[in-house]
DNA sequence: TTGTAGGCGTTATCAG
DNA sequence: CTGATAACGCCTACAA
């Protein structure tokens, strides 16, 4: 069934059907209705391939599905993907998946996707300083949005992000509010945008409360074992922290073990944790409160208090920004910074 | 750049270039090489849209991304998707995502995807008795594979699945081997294919060991709280089980809490759990050993012994089967039943 | 407002 | 083995 089938049925020319589809306003009301009826009756859908051939647009957006990393932080991705697919759908776009082992491979894939499939745009996740992927895309004028700020230049391209600093600051203030002063931070090595951002939130919140953060933080690559090691290190120091904020749930999980092992005597002011009404939590509050980041399923399962990112929203805004570039005037839409929220459970 | 650009550069006709691409064997060796060189030099890629228009094939396969359910079992999906994308890629296909609230909506989406985007095939996950989706697709001769058996008729269509019964049987045998006899099972309500399968594995393993499974199992909808409730129910019964096998990690997590609360005196023969060398586990072995199913990140994090499904393999085999249908002769490829493995951690 | 004439890049058919 | 020609379904002019 083609546009001609519909035209015959509605007693109009093919052109009129095309107009009803693409520029409804130029067709007389009554004719438009008749054509619409024919379309519905026939169950006609325009062929993307033919349309794409003519217009050069595929109505396809690409998003990378990364190899799951440690299995804990990896599981945030499917929430994002679901939101993305749903919103894209509503905007008349479809999401296409691709994988890539590294940035170089990813750029090669861009090229392939662009030249073979005529992709309309890309959604990139996890950007970093001097990301070669964004440079490549920008250079060629390919529309894209990143979930994650361009750390070098906030105006480089459209982006959506979650305010990580606000998240760790909120976590820190929560601990301050219940009486803690010496609050430690376990994060990633300096130099990564997200990592530095999350550390900054903690540091500033502490400073604002008149606490000197010096010596209260440690850094490591992500992982449960690493988190535990650093927490032990921190808790056995000269004047140890009485509570811990972590840059990820993995680190927090490790820290939690160290915290549970720590004797309550360490804390100077360790108030009782609020009994949460959430899902069942396997264990009691640790001697040293711990807060994680990402609100992964694991956090929910073990009762870990964690900073939660609005992933569905983030995905939706990514699509909004991308379609604004694709369908709207050629100006860069304003970036979106979303606020995370603290999900209180048993560990803080 | 089109096929004509390549033809000019290689000093051949457009048709010859097309032949090199689609039927290399009909082109003389030397010519083929010259064309290949031109293609590489120019960085030429055939336009999918044009090819699709001509052939009616899109080289696109669709897969649904479901709204994450309880956040625990949901996180298996991204591993599957990653494997799928990677294997599809290697076979020259790309994966497209779609969502649907229910089976009816999903069928409507099939229709849309098929008529507008000319999708080549579908990968369906989580089939059940009398699935309307498979019926719809089969009726129209649309190629598809399911990850999950067609419980009504094993020959209905190509499928890939993991042998759930073998998984629970293995878990049960593991517990039997370390001395347990009365091993309980917490599963889903009878009637679901997967649920019944997993229960059957436990039941048969017990019977094979000469233990009567009567009264040792309970059923409920999935969830942590539900798992805990049923475990308590089971453990406070007249002659309680000394170990528990669960149909999911969610149920197992709940059961684990009940098991930790249970006094060791309940067990008749509770041997010490093997200290696992895996990732750090937050707590000691419970009085009553518990084994989960799916090996989710949560299981790894809390040290829960669990039955692991080879998701990457499963995804790869799904693509294999689908491409066999798409590219090969029109006969239904044999189904694939993969074996799960037991990942030993601290809880059993 | 409607109809007619191209052409997007590819592959299939059919002569040479 | 190579070269010409038509057609896939749609959209964008342009003319009526």
């Amino acid at each position: 069934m083609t546009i001609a089938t519909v035209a015959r049925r509605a007693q109009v020319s093919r052109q009129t059907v095309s107009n009803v589809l693409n520029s409804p306003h130029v067709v007389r009301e009554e004719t438009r209705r008749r054509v619409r009826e024919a379309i519905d009756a026939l169950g006609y859908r325009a062929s993307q391939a033919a349309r794409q051939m003519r217009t050069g647009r595929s109505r396809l957006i690409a998003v990378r599905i990364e190899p799951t990393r440690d299995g804990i932080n990896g599981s945030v991705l499917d929430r994002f993907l679901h939101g993305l697919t749903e919103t894209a759908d509503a905007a008349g776009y479809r999401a296409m998946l691709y994988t890539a082992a590294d940035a170089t491979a990813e750029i090669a894939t861009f090229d392939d996707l662009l030249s073979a499939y005529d992709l309309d745009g890309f959604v990139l996740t996890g950007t970093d300083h001097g990301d070669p992927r964004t440079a490549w895309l920008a250079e060629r004028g390919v529309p894209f949005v990143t979930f994650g700020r361009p750390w070098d230049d906030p105006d480089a391209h459209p982006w959506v992000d979650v305010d990580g600093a606000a998240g760790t600051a909120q976590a820190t203030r929560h601990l301050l509010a219940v009486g803690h002063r010496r609050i430690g931070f376990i994060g990633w090595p300096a130099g990564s945008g997200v990592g530095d951002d999350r550390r900054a939130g903690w540091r500033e919140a502490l400073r604002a409360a008149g606490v000197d953060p010096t010596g209260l933080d440690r850094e490591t690559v992500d992982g449960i074992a690493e988190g535990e090691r650093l927490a032990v290190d921190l808790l056995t120091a000269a004047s140890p922290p009485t509570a811990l904020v972590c840059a990820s749930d993995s680190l927090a999980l490790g820290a939690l073990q160290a915290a549970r092992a720590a004797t309550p005597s360490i804390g100077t002011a360790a108030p009782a944790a609020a009994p949460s009404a959430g899902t069942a939590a396997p264990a009691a509050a640790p001697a040293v409160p711990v807060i994680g980041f990402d609100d992964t399923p694991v956090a929910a399962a073990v009762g870990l208090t964690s900073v939660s990112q609005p992933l569905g929203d983030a995905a939706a805004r990514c699509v909004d920004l991308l379609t604004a570039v694709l369908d709207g005037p050629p100006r860069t839409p304003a970036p979106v910074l979303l606020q995370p929220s603290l999900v209180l459970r048993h560990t803080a």
Side-chain angles (χ1 to χ4, degrees), chain A residues 98-223:
Chain A
Y98 69 92
T99 42
D102 52 45
T104 312
E106 190 163 359
I107 287 175
T109 306
F110 290 163
D111 202 15
D112 181 42
L113 253 21
L114 249 17
S115 46
Y117 287 86
D118 263 311
L119 253 86
D120 286 351
F122 291 83
V123 175
L124 264 41
T125 56
T127 55
D128 214 328
H129 291 292
D131 199 311
R133 304 171 302 162
T134 55
W136 193 93
L137 291 171
E139 204 171 287
R140 283 159 186 75
V142 180
F144 71 97
V145 186
T146 63
F147 176 35
R149 269 160 280 187
W151 297 98
D152 309 307
D153 171 12
D155 297 319
H157 53 73
W159 55 265
V160 173
D161 204 356
V162 174
D163 194 341
T168 46
Q170 198 182 337
T172 308
R173 282 196 302 270
H174 169 74
L175 294 168
L176 285 165
V178 296
H180 292 276
R181 301 286 294 168
R182 301 186 57 78
I183 299 165
F185 181 82
I186 299 181
W188 302 317
S192 87
V194 235
D196 295 351
D197 185 44
R198 293 184 185 179
R199 177 179 293 105
W202 156 81
R203 194 195 307 113
E204 296 317 317
L206 230 43
R207 284 204 180 124
V211 180
D212 178 12
T214 309
L216 284 174
D217 68 317
R218 293 289 185 280
E219 53 187 52
T220 174
V221 295
D222 203 64

Side-chain angles (χ1 to χ4, degrees), chain A residues 303-331:
Chain A
L304 173 69
T305 290
S306 188
V307 176
S308 175
Q309 307 201 44
L311 291 176
D313 279 0
R317 306 308 299 269
C318 282
V319 174
D320 289 349
L321 257 40
L322 198 50
T323 53
V325 177
L326 292 172
D327 303 329
R331 77 191 166 61

Side-chain angles (χ1 to χ4, degrees), chain A residues 11-333:
Chain A
Q11 311 267 40
V12 296
S13 71
R14 294 184 320 189
Q15 179 50 25
T16 303
V17 178
S18 174
N19 283 337
V20 169
L21 259 24
N22 305 296
S23 330
H25 57 276
V26 306
V27 182
R28 199 199 322 155
E29 163 75 34
E30 201 277 333
T31 314
R32 202 189 320 164
R33 198 186 42 73
R34 213 169 63 233
V35 173
R36 286 258 155 77
E37 269 170 14
I39 289 177
D40 289 347
L42 260 25
Y44 166 84
R45 347 270 312 192
S47 152
Q48 271 305 317
R51 171 175 291 185
Q52 177 180 345
M53 191 123 133
R54 248 331 250 158
T55 61
R57 316 260 324 261
S58 61
R59 303 202 72 82
L60 248 33
I61 63 183
V63 54
R64 173 177 175 191
I65 177 148
E66 329 182 31
T68 308
R69 289 167 305 178
D70 67 0
I72 295 182
N73 297 318
S75 51
V76 302
L77 187 61
D78 59 1
R79 283 198 282 157
F80 183 77
L81 285 182
H82 183 258
L84 194 78
T85 307
E86 208 160 45
T87 318
D89 222 340
Y93 286 85
R94 315 234 59 131
M96 179 181 269
L97 250 29
Y98 69 92
T99 42
D102 52 45
T104 312
E106 190 163 359
I107 287 175
T109 306
F110 290 163
D111 202 15
D112 181 42
L113 253 21
L114 249 17
S115 46
Y117 287 86
D118 263 311
L119 253 86
D120 286 351
F122 291 83
V123 175
L124 264 41
T125 56
T127 55
D128 214 328
H129 291 292
D131 199 311
R133 304 171 302 162
T134 55
W136 193 93
L137 291 171
E139 204 171 287
R140 283 159 186 75
V142 180
F144 71 97
V145 186
T146 63
F147 176 35
R149 269 160 280 187
W151 297 98
D152 309 307
D153 171 12
D155 297 319
H157 53 73
W159 55 265
V160 173
D161 204 356
V162 174
D163 194 341
T168 46
Q170 198 182 337
T172 308
R173 282 196 302 270
H174 169 74
L175 294 168
L176 285 165
V178 296
H180 292 276
R181 301 286 294 168
R182 301 186 57 78
I183 299 165
F185 181 82
I186 299 181
W188 302 317
S192 87
V194 235
D196 295 351
D197 185 44
R198 293 184 185 179
R199 177 179 293 105
W202 156 81
R203 194 195 307 113
E204 296 317 317
L206 230 43
R207 284 204 180 124
V211 180
D212 178 12
T214 309
L216 284 174
D217 68 317
R218 293 289 185 280
E219 53 187 52
T220 174
V221 295
D222 203 64
I224 298 184
E226 288 77 4
E228 180 169 16
R229 193 166 51 74
L230 260 56
V232 168
D233 183 36
L234 221 35
L235 294 175
T236 54
S239 34
T242 64
L244 256 21
V245 172
C246 301
S248 78
D249 278 356
S250 310
L251 292 174
L253 236 35
L256 194 54
Q257 291 174 231
R260 289 231 161 90
T263 60
S265 64
I266 287 177
T268 55
S276 142
T279 56
V288 177
V290 173
I291 298 183
F293 206 112
D294 271 348
D295 188 28
T296 56
V298 182
V302 307
L304 173 69
T305 290
S306 188
V307 176
S308 175
Q309 307 201 44
L311 291 176
D313 279 0
R317 306 308 299 269
C318 282
V319 174
D320 289 349
L321 257 40
L322 198 50
T323 53
V325 177
L326 292 172
D327 303 329
R331 77 191 166 61
T332 308

